[in-house]
């Protein structure tokens, strides 16, 4: 993205000219400060007394100036990028200095020859104050009894320095869940600290629920996911990324209510037969998954060390979450109390327990996929594909366009695989789901729709591992593997 200097802008946005004066650039900083506080273009526009389209144009200028998206749109609104978060404290300091200047009064003791008295010099804000929680722009009149942003900042700063884990976690909860204008996302370090407290058994159950619900309601950020993932990988004893233990990490956290067959397991088995080491990991017992793995001869490992042994002998293993972390399994079990997902349902896709060189992930849409990819990069991943057309597991949807969010050697890439024209399904009557899956694998039943799904998933996995330079060659290789599967 190109960068444009504020000083050369001649347009008028929101009724304020952005001419050549360096001070004109302050308009963009003011707009960014309000956007960070409000988290909404409409509310920010109302705060500044301008129209929403004018605020949108200001946001476009801000993005171009910094070469950063600044905000990522989620189903629950906009969340700041890590770069935008890094500007928050500096913008608060700038706002504080501006307010101090506006509150200056002439001094009666210093009058120049023209009759004007110079204002007293104002000391810049102390770094320590700017480093505390930058919660909100200052209201001209605070409601009676409402603490000022500075008072809240001092209180949270005291909590942050406490050695009491419960108080530290309370600080993280109020930071992200205190309400509009008085909240901000957690930094990666704060999210790491919060999850470490939970995993070490030092959190009250009410605190755990409060944090997870607050984050889910607001929309989790990439920095928060990355911090959670870093803490989980450390506390669970996961192997470093690209440790050489496995080629591809393939999370499969499938809902018990999922009705479609797990065709991705056939792709995983196909890759293992071709010599690639594949680790699958997911929730505990699932009748459909367990039955399909019995048919395909995929063994379940009880722990990470057991999974390494199975991989060495068979090239593929399934590791249930309890074998990675009983605590994380219990935390995901809170779904039954909330009746909604939490950020942990996304974090488990970043576990990569054996430190695979590449990861094949899934996300329910483009915005969640962008957040997941950014979190993975922050957590140290360098090669991955996030498939945006499914939620629980990366399984190809060849009859829908497949947008891919990728990391290749740490570089961001994305493109769309066009959809194919769907042919009528030919599923045989009288067979159960698992019986039909076995019949397709053994070749006694032919279904072009299913075959294309399996080959596409195989091709995506090959492409993710970097075995082939493009999608066409990856798909041709996958088709060759499928046709020759009985020869292994």
């Amino acid at each position: 993205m190109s960068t444009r200097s504020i000083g050369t802008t001649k347009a008028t946005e929101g009724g304020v000219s952005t001419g050549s004066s360096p001070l004109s650039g302050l308009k963009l900083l003011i707009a960014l400060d309000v956007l960070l506080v409000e988290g909404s273009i409409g509310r920010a526009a109302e705060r500044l007394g301008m129209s929403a389209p004018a605020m949108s144009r200001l946001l476009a200028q801000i993005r171009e100036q910094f070469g950063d998206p600044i905000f990522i749109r989620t189903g629950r609104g906009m969340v700041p990028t890590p770069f935008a978060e890094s500007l928050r404290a500096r913008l608060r300091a700038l706002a504080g200095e501006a307010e101090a200047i506006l509150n200056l009064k002439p001094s009666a003791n210093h009058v120049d020859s023209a009759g004007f008295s110079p204002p007293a010099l104002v000391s810049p804000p102390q770094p320590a104050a700017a480093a505390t929680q930058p919660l909100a722009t200052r209201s001209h009149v605070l409601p009676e009894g409402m603490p000022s942003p500075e008072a809240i900042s001092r209180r949270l700063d005291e909590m942050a320095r406490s050695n009491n884990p419960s108080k530290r976690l309370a600080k993280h909860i109020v930071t992200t869940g205190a309400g509009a204008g008085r909240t901000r996302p957690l930094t990666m370090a704060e999210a790491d600290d919060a999850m470490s407290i939970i995993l070490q058994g030092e959190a009250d159950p009410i605190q755990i629920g409060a944090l997870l619900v607050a984050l889910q309601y607001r929309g989790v950020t990439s920095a928060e996911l990355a911090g959670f993932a870093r803490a989980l990988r450390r506390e669970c004893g996961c192997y470093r990324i690209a440790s050489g233990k496995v080629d591809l990490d393939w999370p499969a956290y499938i809902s018990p209510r999922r009705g479609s067959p797990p065709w991705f397991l056939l792709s995983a088995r196909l890759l293992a037969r071709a010599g690639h080491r594949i680790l699958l990991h997911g929730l505990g017992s699932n009748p459909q998954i367990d039955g399909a793995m019995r048919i395909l001869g995929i063994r379940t490992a009880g722990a990470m060390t057991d999974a390494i042994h199975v991989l060495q002998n068979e090239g593929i293993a399934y590791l249930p979450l309890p074998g990675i972390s009983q605590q994380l399994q219990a935390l995901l079990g809170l779904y039954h109390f909330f009746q909604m997902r939490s950020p942990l349902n996304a974090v488990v896709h970043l576990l990569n327990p054996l430190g695979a060189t590449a990861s094949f992930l899934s996300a329910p849409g483009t915005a969640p996929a962008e957040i997941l990819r950014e979190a993975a990069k922050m957590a140290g991943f360098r090669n991955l594909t996030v498939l945006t057309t499914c939620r629980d597991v990366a399984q190809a949807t060849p009859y829908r366009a497949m947008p891919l969010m990728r990391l290749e050697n740490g570089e961001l890439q994305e493109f769309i695989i066009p959809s194919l024209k769907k042919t009528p399904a030919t599923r045989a009557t009288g067979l159960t789901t698992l019986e039909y899956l076995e019949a397709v694998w053994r070749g006694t039943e032919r279904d072009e729709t299913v075959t294309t799904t399996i080959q596409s998933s195989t091709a995506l996995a090959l492409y993710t591992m970097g075995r082939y330079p493009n999608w066409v060659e990856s798909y041709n290789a996958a088709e060759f593997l499928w046709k020759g599967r009985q020869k292994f």
Side-chain angles (χ1 to χ4, degrees), residues 55-56 70 118 152 159 162 218 225 335 361-362 415 445 457:
M55 178 58 71
S56 295
I70 302 298
I152 298 175
M159 296 167 69
S162 172
R218 189 209 65 215
L225 282 181
Y335 175 88
L361 314 179
S362 61
F415 64 94
E445 291 291 341
S457 297

Side-chain angles (χ1 to χ4, degrees), residues 190-481:
E190 289 170 337
D192 186 331
D193 184 51
M195 183 54 61
S196 297
I197 292 170
I198 292 172
L199 293 175
Q200 291 165 9
E202 297 175 317
D204 186 277
I206 294 176
Q207 289 183 305
I208 298 173
L211 178 65
L212 295 180
V213 169
L215 290 173
Q216 183 70 9
Y217 179 77
R218 189 209 65 215
V220 70
T221 67
S222 55
E224 289 164 341
L225 282 181
F228 284 169
R230 185 169 66 181
L232 281 166
R233 298 194 77 254
R234 182 180 62 249
E235 298 294 334
C236 296
C238 297
Y239 290 75
R240 63 175 178 81
I241 296 173
S243 64
K245 304 294 182 183
V246 60
D247 298 319
L248 183 68
D249 186 68
W250 200 332
Y253 291 84
I254 295 178
S255 167
R257 293 193 289 268
R258 180 185 172 101
S260 58
W263 300 118
F264 71 93
L265 288 175
L266 280 69
S267 298
R269 169 46 94 185
L270 198 64
L271 291 165
R273 285 191 171 188
H276 307 289
R277 295 167 299 173
I278 311 297
L279 179 69
L280 302 154
H281 53 96
L283 297 172
S285 180
N286 181 309
Q288 193 179 78
I289 296 296
D290 294 344
M293 289 196 303
R294 283 195 298 270
I295 292 170
L296 299 170
I298 300 174
R299 286 180 55 190
T300 299
M304 284 189 278
T305 53
D306 184 29
I308 292 174
H309 178 73
V310 174
L311 280 167
Q312 289 173 341
N313 292 318
E314 302 179 22
I316 187 170
Y318 178 78
L319 180 60
L321 187 57
I324 304 172
S325 171
Q326 292 281 357
Q327 290 171 294
L328 185 52
Q329 176 81 2
L331 289 171
L332 285 177
L334 292 175
Y335 175 88
H336 299 291
F337 297 96
F338 303 153
Q339 286 301 303
M340 68 176 189
R341 294 193 167 208
S342 78
L344 296 178
N345 291 97
V347 174
V348 290
H349 289 263
L350 299 176
L351 275 175
N352 194 1
L354 298 187
T357 304
S359 298
F360 189 21
L361 314 179
S362 61
T366 301
E370 289 178 344
I371 293 173
L372 189 62
R373 177 179 62 174
E374 180 66 25
K377 184 175 181 179
M378 296 172 69
F381 290 61
R382 292 189 54 79
N383 295 283
L384 64 81
T385 295
V386 185
L387 184 59
T388 67
T389 54
C390 46
R391 183 179 67 179
D392 297 329
V393 62
Q395 176 174 290
T397 56
Y399 300 103
R400 293 167 53 192
M402 292 189 289
L404 305 179
M405 300 290 168
R406 288 174 42 81
L407 279 178
E408 186 173 331
N409 294 321
E411 298 296 325
L412 302 180
Q413 293 186 354
E414 53 191 74
F415 64 94
I416 299 176
I417 299 175
S419 62
L420 301 176
K421 184 177 180 180
K422 191 170 185 178
T423 56
T426 57
R427 176 169 178 172
T429 58
L431 296 178
T432 66
T433 297
L434 291 178
E435 289 172 343
Y436 191 67
L437 181 145
E438 182 175 13
V440 170
W441 175 247
R442 300 191 183 283
T444 57
E445 291 291 341
R446 297 183 182 276
D447 187 328
E448 184 178 344
T449 300
V450 170
T451 298
T452 303
T453 298
I454 296 169
Q455 291 176 169
S456 296
S457 297
T458 306
L460 286 171
L462 289 169
Y463 191 30
T464 300
M465 290 187 288
R467 297 300 187 264
Y468 297 93
N470 55 58
W471 166 250
V472 174
E473 291 187 41
S474 298
Y475 191 87
N476 290 339
E479 188 175 24
F480 176 80
L481 291 176

Side-chain angles (χ1 to χ4, degrees), residues 110-118:
H110 298 88
V111 180
D112 63 16
S113 58
F116 294 100
S117 57

